[in-house]
């Protein structure tokens, strides 16, 4: 289906209410309009990508000289603007003749808006119509995601070329209205082609909004948690909801919280963090044992070190990671190659749990005395004290890198295909 044209935009009720008068560029009314922006500054052309209808109250043109006004129109035309609509009567009593003349010379549609209508009403109506027209003719090549919500989530996770008004308009079309102070959290679920696990978790969270859709490899969701009445950790709240509601065998990855008003790039960040975390959870052996009969629920913070070590991809970092492992843990690897043992894993769990013997022994299902023997062996082989604060970072990173490199040879279960 063809894109919305300038002629069709002018037929929208809020635009007609502004009583637009076409002063120039009548031969270009059927050009497509990609988006509608408003700007009060005459440098607005610098922010256009092409195909936009620009609305302005003309304030930036009031004190400009004739050449500046002509240059403004030339810059709009050069950036491929679909048209310029100027509000007449408040800041600008009359359309400057040089603006009309330059627009006519360049074939740029120029509109005088004779009645005051809030620009937000015009942009909202126009951009919703543009989004609806674009999505109605769009083919989303994803077997379970051929709807508006899936298209928006995929574009956010892919970090497509978007802008905030477009994201907000498309979210509104999908019924997603994060309130003031809401925190958004991306979630990715593997092991199902249904959104039921997400819906059940949302009900447990109470009052949360959600965008969710099923894709070939996973279910992707963006949760909006309302502004809290009391302090709390939204990530833990989301994790607990999924631990309670998700079926055994599912893998759930939770992104980090972002402010709903922080811009669409933040929305994208939490979705991408969830997808990256899910892939790591499916391909890298867990540092610690999970719940035997329940879902595996993890978060981007829990796998923060793994994500940093693999930034840019495992293959791109494999040689560097192998060097880190060999430098820090070479004697342990040599010992494990000759003796059945679990020293590297013991070291990582011990470091991840603050060097707590009680916690480490419980997670490894061994007695404290057996743990002490392992720790003494590790220190003897490495020739250092593993609770030395100067060594904790290097040893933990190396133990994690060993697990990442060792585990990435496995195929993705179920053929996970990420869009992030």
């Amino acid at each position: 289906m063809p894109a919305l044209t300038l002629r069709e935009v002018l037929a929208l009720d809020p635009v007609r209410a502004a009583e637009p008068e076409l002063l120039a560029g009548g031969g270009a009314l059927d050009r497509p309009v990609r988006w509608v922006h408003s700007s009060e500054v005459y440098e607005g052309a610098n922010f256009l990508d092409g195909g936009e209808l620009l609305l302005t109250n003309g304030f930036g043109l009031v004190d400009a000289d004739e050449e500046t006004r002509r240059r403004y129109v030339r810059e709009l035309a050069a950036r491929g603007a679909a048209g310029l609509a100027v509000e007449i009567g408040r800041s600008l009593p009359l359309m400057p003749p040089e603006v009309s003349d330059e627009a006519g010379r360049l074939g740029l549609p120029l509109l005088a808006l004779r009645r005051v209508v809030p620009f937000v009403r015009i942009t909202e109506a126009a951009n919703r119509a543009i989004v609806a027209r674009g999505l109605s003719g769009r083919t989303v090549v994803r077997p379970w995601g051929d709807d508006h919500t899936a298209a928006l989530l995929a574009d956010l996770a892919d970090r497509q070329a978007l802008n905030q008004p477009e994201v907000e308009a498309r979210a509104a079309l999908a019924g997603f209205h994060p309130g003031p102070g809401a925190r958004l959290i991306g979630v990715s679920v593997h092991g199902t082609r249904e959104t039921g696990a997400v819906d059940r978790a949302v009900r447990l969270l109470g009052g949360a909004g959600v965008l969710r859709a099923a894709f070939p490899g996973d279910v992707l969701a963006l949760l909006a948690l309302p502004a809290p009445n009391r302090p709390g950790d939204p990530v833990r709240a989301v994790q607990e909801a999924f631990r309670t509601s998700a079926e055994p065998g599912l893998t759930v990855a939770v992104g980090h919280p972002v402010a709903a008003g922080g811009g669409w790039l933040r929305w994208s960040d939490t979705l991408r963090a969830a997808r990256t975390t899910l892939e790591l959870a499916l391909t890298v052996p867990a540092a610690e044992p999970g719940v035997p009969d329940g879902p595996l629920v993890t978060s981007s913070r829990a796998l923060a070190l793994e994500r940093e070590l693999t930034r840019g991809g495992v293959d791109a970092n494999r040689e560097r990671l192998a060097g880190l492992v060999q430098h820090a843990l070479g004697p342990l690897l040599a010992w494990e190659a000759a003796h059945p043992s679990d020293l590297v894993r013991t070291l990582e769990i011990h470091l991840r749990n603050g060097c707590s013997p009680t916690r480490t022994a419980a997670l490894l299902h061994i007695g404290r005395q057996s743990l002490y023997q392992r720790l003494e062996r590790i220190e003897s082989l490495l020739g250092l004290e593993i609770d030395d604060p100067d060594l904790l970072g290097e040893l933990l990173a190396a133990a994690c890198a060993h697990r990442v490199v060792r585990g990435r040879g496995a195929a993705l279960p179920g053929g996970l295909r990420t869009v992030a």
Side-chain angles (χ1 to χ4, degrees):
M1 185 176 294
L4 206 70
T5 65
L6 181 55
R7 190 187 305 277
E8 291 173 307
V9 171
L10 295 179
L12 295 173
D13 288 343
V15 182
R16 293 173 59 191
E19 296 183 359
E21 178 185 356
L22 183 65
L23 302 181
L29 290 180
D30 292 319
R31 64 175 51 175
V33 178
R34 188 178 68 85
W35 205 248
V36 179
H37 290 293
S38 63
S39 172
E40 297 180 1
V41 294
Y42 63 80
E43 292 91 348
N46 296 331
F47 304 101
L48 301 183
D49 296 318
E52 297 95 344
L53 171 63
L54 183 65
L55 312 177
T56 180
N57 62 13
F59 180 78
L61 299 173
V62 173
D63 296 324
D65 58 32
E66 177 180 340
E67 177 54 31
T68 299
R69 291 169 175 170
R70 288 184 179 275
R71 184 170 64 248
Y72 171 63
V73 176
R74 290 197 297 271
E75 289 174 351
L76 289 177
R79 296 301 291 254
L84 172 65
V86 183
E87 183 184 272
I88 299 298
R90 291 195 296 178
S91 300
L92 197 66
L94 297 170
M95 183 71 74
E98 56 270 21
V99 173
S100 300
D101 179 68
E102 198 71 17
R105 188 179 68 83
L106 297 171
L108 177 71
L110 175 66
L111 300 158
L113 305 180
R114 298 297 181 183
R115 292 192 61 183
V116 175
V117 174
F119 283 166
V120 66
R121 287 178 53 193
I122 295 176
T123 57
E124 182 180 47
N127 290 333
R128 284 197 179 194
I130 291 168
V131 169
R133 172 67 64 83
L135 291 180
S136 66
R138 177 176 180 167
T139 301
V140 182
V141 189
R142 296 175 177 91
W144 305 285
D146 55 350
D147 58 19
H148 295 354
T149 302
L152 176 56
L153 286 170
D155 284 348
L156 286 170
D158 277 334
R159 190 162 283 185
Q160 295 289 338
L162 301 171
N163 56 59
Q164 192 63 27
E166 177 183 355
V167 170
E168 291 176 356
R170 293 172 66 180
L173 282 175
F176 188 63
H177 304 276
R183 291 172 292 182
L184 305 185
I185 297 181
V187 176
S188 191
V189 183
H190 181 72
T192 179
R193 298 179 180 180
E194 306 294 337
T195 60
V198 173
D199 296 336
R200 290 191 295 274
V202 168
R203 286 195 292 271
L204 288 176
L205 289 167
V210 63
L211 285 172
R212 86 285 189 274
F215 294 86
D218 63 345
V219 173
L220 189 61
L222 185 63
L223 277 56
L225 277 64
N229 296 323
R230 57 182 183 275
D233 183 352
V235 172
R236 288 197 178 278
V238 172
Q239 286 185 276
E240 287 306 313
F242 276 97
R243 288 192 180 106
T244 301
S245 61
E247 301 93 334
L250 296 188
T251 302
V252 181
V254 179
H256 54 270
V258 299
W264 76 267
L265 286 172
R266 297 293 177 265
W267 297 27
S268 175
D269 285 344
T270 187
L271 285 169
R272 293 167 68 84
R275 294 308 282 283
T276 303
T277 301
L278 179 66
E279 184 173 349
L280 287 169
L282 292 170
T283 58
V284 175
E288 299 177 3
V291 180
D293 299 322
L296 170 60
V297 182
T298 188
S299 68
S300 59
R301 66 168 58 150
L303 297 185
L305 185 53
E306 289 86 340
R307 292 174 59 229
E308 286 300 319
L309 289 173
T310 59
R311 190 175 294 275
V314 173
D315 289 340
N317 290 283
R318 189 176 299 278
E319 184 175 347
R320 179 180 63 84
L321 295 180
L324 171 64
V325 172
Q326 188 60 40
H327 171 75
L329 304 177
L332 291 191
L333 299 179
W335 176 269
E336 289 195 337
H339 306 83
S341 60
D342 203 10
L343 298 184
V344 176
R345 180 166 176 263
T346 297
L347 174 62
E348 182 177 7
I349 292 178
H350 190 59
L351 295 175
R352 283 181 176 272
N353 287 275
C355 296
S356 167
T358 301
R359 177 67 176 161
T360 304
L363 288 170
L364 291 171
H365 304 291
I366 60 176
R368 287 169 62 100
Q369 190 60 40
S370 297
L371 173 63
Y372 290 138
Q373 292 174 356
R374 290 189 187 183
L375 296 178
E376 289 175 2
R377 175 71 67 182
I378 292 171
E379 291 186 333
S380 174
L381 290 169
L382 296 180
L384 48 79
E385 296 180 358
I386 58 177
D387 59 355
D388 183 342
D390 291 342
L391 297 171
L392 295 181
E394 181 183 31
L395 291 177
L396 180 55
C400 181
H402 175 62
R403 180 166 44 82
V404 168
V405 173
R406 183 186 59 185
R408 285 293 296 204
L412 289 171
L416 174 69
R417 290 175 288 175
T418 67
V419 296

